[in-house]
């Protein structure tokens, strides 16, 4: 929100829209388990669910569930090789979204 010349608060629809677009990203990254998965994938180029589960205290189905949330948020991508699915970080679009949100907040919301 920004104040106009009279000091009244004006809403900034563009900033609100951008913030709403990034909510799934914040929700996905808000969970410590998913944060750990992101850090694990940051250390490896690509990993399958079994490899990830072997390096985690979580079960394979739990790992799959969290990877699905990260994939839906655009934080991880998948590559199928035969019967196996490999997961990898896809942070380019995520970083672009966050930068856009920060720029909008700096330009339109900070008094």
């Amino acid at each position: 929100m920004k104040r106009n010349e009279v000091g009244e608060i004006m809403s900034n629809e563009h900033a609100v829209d951008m913030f709403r677009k990034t909510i799934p990203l914040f929700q996905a990254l808000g969970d410590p388990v998913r944060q750990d998965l992101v850090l694990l994938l940051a250390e490896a180029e690509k990993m399958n669910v079994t490899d990830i589960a072997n390096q985690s205290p979580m079960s394979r189905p739990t790992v799959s569930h969290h990877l699905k949330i990260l994939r839906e948020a655009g934080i991880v991508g998948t590559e199928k090789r035969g019967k196996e699915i490999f997961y990898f970080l896809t942070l380019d679009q995520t970083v672009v979204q966050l930068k856009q949100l920060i720029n909008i907040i700096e330009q339109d919301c900070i008094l």
Side-chain angles (χ1 to χ4, degrees), residues 1-4 6-12 111:
M1 301 261 195
K2 198 174 188 179
R3 294 185 186 271
N4 66 13
V6 188
E8 298 170 333
I9 296 178
M10 303 179 336
S11 69
N12 186 318
L111 299 176

Side-chain angles (χ1 to χ4, degrees), residues 62-96:
T62 302
V63 169
S64 292
H65 167 74
H66 287 288
L67 287 169
K68 178 184 175 195
I69 293 169
L70 290 170
R71 189 184 75 241
E72 289 172 349
I75 298 168
V76 299
T78 59
E79 178 184 302
K80 190 168 184 175
R81 291 187 203 157
K83 293 181 180 182
E84 290 188 89
I85 297 175
F86 287 82
Y87 292 84
F88 55 92
L89 290 181
T90 56
L91 295 176
D92 292 346
Q93 187 58 35
T94 303
V95 170
V96 168

Side-chain angles (χ1 to χ4, degrees), residues 51-68:
D51 293 338
I52 295 169
N54 287 340
Q55 295 188 36
S56 167
M58 296 177 290
S59 68
R60 195 171 186 274
T62 302
V63 169
S64 292
H65 167 74
H66 287 288
L67 287 169
K68 178 184 175 195

Side-chain angles (χ1 to χ4, degrees), residues 11-66:
S11 69
N12 186 318
E13 290 182 35
H14 186 59
V16 171
D17 288 343
M18 191 63 206
F19 182 74
R20 286 192 175 134
K21 287 179 184 176
T22 58
I23 286 173
L25 173 63
F26 290 122
Q27 288 173 329
L29 291 174
D31 186 290
V33 169
R34 291 191 284 274
Q35 293 168 9
D36 289 344
L37 291 176
V38 168
L39 294 173
L40 182 62
L41 288 170
E43 295 176 3
E45 189 172 319
K46 295 178 182 173
M47 296 177 78
N48 64 22
V49 176
T50 303
D51 293 338
I52 295 169
N54 287 340
Q55 295 188 36
S56 167
M58 296 177 290
S59 68
R60 195 171 186 274
T62 302
V63 169
S64 292
H65 167 74
H66 287 288

